Amino acid sequence: ITAGGSLRRGVVVSFSLACLSSCMSQVANLNSFDPFAEEVQDVSQSNYVHIRVQLRSGKKCLTTLQGLNPDFDFKKILKAFKKEFCCNGTIVEDEELGQVIQLQGDQRKVVSQFLIEQGIVEKDKLKIHGF
């Protein structure tokens, strides 16, 4: 195909270089926006507390709590969770996320209620994720 046009199977195809360059600039603009980049930055740099549930095997679930203020005593919070919700749990040290509390079972609702009632986290700073 040439800039002026070409003949292919009896059909004349013509286009201008201006149209071609505008179409190419629109295609090049697709690379400038990454919708997932903002979400990754929000999770690691924000002051939100995230409560997630992960499916382990079969019906077994694992609830993770991350983003708590490091000034809190995680061992005491974990002890209160275990006593209040009758479940086991642990504290895991992550390089990017810091200390993460893991609890057995789907404890998203009761953990969020507990954190709000005890004044550990404000309701607008709490994000609940999961299926």
Side-chain angles (χ1 to χ4, degrees):
I1 297 177
T2 61
S6 69
L7 181 65
R8 183 176 177 189
R9 292 187 189 164
V11 179
V12 176
V13 178
S14 65
F15 57 91
S16 67
L17 290 175
C19 177
L20 181 63
S21 64
S22 68
C23 292
M24 292 303 289
S25 66
Q26 289 176 355
V27 172
N29 285 339
L30 291 177
N31 295 332
S32 64
F33 177 69
D34 187 8
F36 300 107
E38 295 176 18
E39 184 175 331
V40 172
Q41 292 173 356
D42 288 344
V43 170
S44 62
Q45 297 177 355
S46 69
N47 53 1
Y48 286 104
V49 174
H50 297 274
I51 301 174
R52 292 186 171 85
V53 65
Q54 299 172 350
L55 194 62
R56 289 188 326 159
S57 61
K59 298 180 193 177
K60 306 292 183 181
C61 293
L62 185 69
T63 302
T64 60
L65 175 68
Q66 69 186 38
L68 281 176
N69 190 349
D71 296 336
F72 288 117
D73 188 4
F74 284 86
K75 290 183 180 181
K76 286 185 179 180
I77 293 174
L78 179 63
K79 186 174 181 179
F81 283 160
K82 291 165 67 171
K83 191 170 186 176
E84 184 76 23
F85 311 139
C86 300
C87 66
N88 200 7
T90 186
I91 299 172
V92 177
E93 185 68 36
D94 189 78
E95 293 176 4
E96 294 178 10
L97 304 173
Q99 290 185 329
V100 178
I101 296 177
Q102 292 182 344
L103 299 171
Q104 288 181 345
D106 187 2
Q107 309 290 343
R108 290 176 291 176
K109 291 181 182 176
V110 291
V111 167
S112 64
Q113 290 173 355
F114 181 87
L115 292 174
I116 293 169
E117 288 173 1
Q118 297 298 320
I120 297 173
V121 179
E122 298 173 5
K123 189 173 184 176
D124 58 338
K125 298 291 183 185
L126 191 66
K127 289 195 175 188
I128 301 174
H129 307 276
F131 51 87

